Amino acid sequence: MRKAILAVLVCLGSSLASAAVINVEFKFTPFVGDPQKNEQVTTVAGKARLYINNIFFAEQEVRKGTVPVLFEAREIAPAVWLPVASAGPAVRKGRNTLRIDFEPADAQASYRAQLRWAEVNDQVTEERSGGQFRSTNQSGEGVEEKAATGRLRIERQFDAPFASEHPWHRAAAVNSLSDADRQELAKLVKARADSFKPNFDGIYAALQGNPQIRVDEIRKMKCLDKAWSAGVRIDAPAADQLEVTLTGNAEVVLRRTNGDLFRPADPAKFERIKGEDARACAGLALFAAFPPRMVVVRATDGGWQAVY
C-alpha cells in the first residue's frame, strides 16, 4: 500500500513539474456585501484602469448590479477579467506588475475590492483529498481583499514565462526627456498621421506586426483607399498638445493632453465610406494604426521609434 501511495505522489509531482504556465488570469471586483455569508454581493459603479508595468493597458466601466458568489472559495464573479497573455508586448518574460486604479462613481463610497489570480497551465492535474476529487489546469491561485473609501489602488506582481521577448525589454529606463526629445516625439506622431495617404505603405508597415490584423485582406479590399476617397483624414496633436508619460522602463507613452493621441479630422466623413464591410475594414485598420495612445522607445541610433 505504501508503495502504491508513493507511486501516485511521484506521478502527480512529475505531472506538476512538466506543466508549463501559458497564461496568468486576474479577476477584480469592487463590491458591498458579505461573500462569506451571502450567495450574492453588489458591485460598486465606477471605472477601473489597468496598468501593466506602469503602462496604461485598458479602462473598463464597472456597473452597479448583483453578482454571484461561487464555490467553496467564495469567489466573487469578476467585474474585470484580464488574461495576461492577451496584453501583448507590454508583458515581459519574467517579473511584471499589474496595477488597478479604481475610481467609484460616488467619491465617498465605502466598499471592498477582491483581486484574484491564477496561473493557467498547459496540462490538467488531478488531486484527491479527503474523499474529494479535483481536476484543474490552474496553479498558483491567490486572493487579496482591500477595504476602501473613494479611490483604490491595488497591485500584484506576477511572472510571465510565456511572454515574447522584445529588444526594448532589456533596454535602459528612460528617466528624463530633453526639449529636443519632445520635439522629435511630436515629429514622430505627425509622421504617423501623415502616413495615411495613397499608397498607404506607411500604414501597412505599421500594421504588419499586429497579429490581429490581416494586412493582405486590407490590401485586397482596398478599404483604406475607400476611406481616403470618402474624405477621411487623421489629426495629430501639435507639440504643445502632446502628453508624454515616463513609465520607469524603456517605454514612453504618448497621448493628447485632452484625449486620444490620434482622431479623425472630421468623424462624419467616415460614414461616407461605401459598403458596410469596407467601413468595418477601414475602422479596424485605422484604429490599429492610429491608437488612442502610442508607446515609443529610444532606437539604437538615439532617435525614437513606435513599438505599439
Side-chain angles (χ1 to χ4, degrees):
M1 178 64 73
R2 291 179 63 186
K3 290 183 178 179
I5 294 174
L6 178 61
V8 171
L9 291 175
V10 169
C11 289
L12 179 58
S14 175
S15 174
L16 288 171
S18 60
V21 176
I22 58 173
N23 204 347
V24 177
E25 294 184 348
F26 287 95
K27 300 174 182 180
F28 172 79
T29 308
F31 67 95
V32 292
D34 188 346
Q36 299 304 317
K37 296 179 180 179
N38 302 322
E39 298 304 312
Q40 292 182 329
V41 295
T42 302
T43 53
V44 176
K47 290 184 178 180
R49 297 179 180 88
L50 281 64
Y51 297 80
I52 297 176
N53 298 322
N54 290 325
I55 299 170
F56 178 83
F57 175 68
E59 178 178 277
Q60 183 169 330
E61 181 181 2
V62 179
R63 296 183 178 180
K64 181 179 179 179
T66 56
V67 294
V69 180
L70 308 169
F71 317 121
E72 291 182 5
R74 313 309 294 164
E75 178 179 342
I76 300 171
V80 177
W81 174 57
L82 172 64
V84 170
S86 68
V91 182
R92 288 166 153 71
K93 187 180 291 292
R95 185 53 57 95
N96 298 265
T97 301
L98 169 70
R99 185 177 94 233
I100 300 176
D101 290 343
F102 178 69
E103 184 176 358
D106 177 1
Q108 305 302 317
S110 295
Y111 58 95
R112 297 186 65 81
Q114 184 180 96
L115 177 67
R116 286 185 175 268
W117 59 87
E119 297 173 343
V120 180
N121 303 299
D122 64 351
Q123 295 183 22
V124 173
T125 59
E126 299 177 351
E127 302 173 6
R128 291 178 174 84
S129 176
Q132 293 184 334
F133 173 80
R134 181 172 183 256
S135 178
T136 181
N137 69 336
Q138 294 189 342
S139 61
E141 298 169 319
V143 59
E144 179 182 357
E145 281 193 16
K146 294 183 72 172
T149 299
R151 294 184 179 184
L152 165 79
R153 171 169 293 182
I154 190 167
E155 293 186 348
R156 174 70 188 177
Q157 291 190 329
F158 64 94
D159 289 324
F162 50 84
S164 299
E165 288 196 272
H166 297 276
W168 65 87
H169 285 174
R170 298 182 181 275
V174 176
N175 296 314
S176 63
L177 294 172
S178 66
D179 290 340
D181 285 324
R182 293 178 182 275
Q183 291 296 324
E184 287 302 314
L185 290 173
K187 290 178 182 178
L188 177 68
V189 171
K190 186 177 185 305
R192 171 64 70 90
D194 290 346
S195 67
F196 182 53
K197 60 184 178 182
N199 53 12
F200 310 108
D201 285 345
I203 303 298
Y204 294 133
L207 296 175
Q208 197 66 54
N210 191 325
Q212 299 177 333
I213 301 294
R214 300 178 63 179
V215 175
D216 290 344
E217 287 297 318
I218 294 173
R219 287 182 181 273
K220 183 178 179 180
M221 291 185 67
K222 294 185 178 296
C223 57
L224 294 182
D225 302 74
K226 294 176 182 178
W228 178 268
S229 297
V232 174
R233 300 294 185 269
I234 301 298
D235 176 55
D240 60 353
Q241 298 174 319
L242 187 64
E243 180 180 285
V244 181
T245 303
L246 306 183
T247 65
N249 295 304
E251 295 98 326
V252 174
V253 182
L254 308 180
R255 69 187 302 273
R256 192 188 299 253
T257 53
N258 60 347
D260 293 344
L261 180 65
F262 298 106
R263 59 193 181 194
D266 182 355
K269 296 289 181 66
F270 196 83
E271 298 302 320
R272 297 183 182 179
I273 301 174
K274 295 181 179 179
E276 186 174 341
D277 289 344
R279 197 177 303 117
C281 166
L284 178 65
L286 292 176
F287 182 81
F290 303 104
R293 57 193 51 80
M294 191 163 68
V295 177
V296 300
V297 298
R298 198 181 293 277
T300 53
D301 62 2
W304 294 92
Q305 66 179 98
V307 289
Y308 60 94

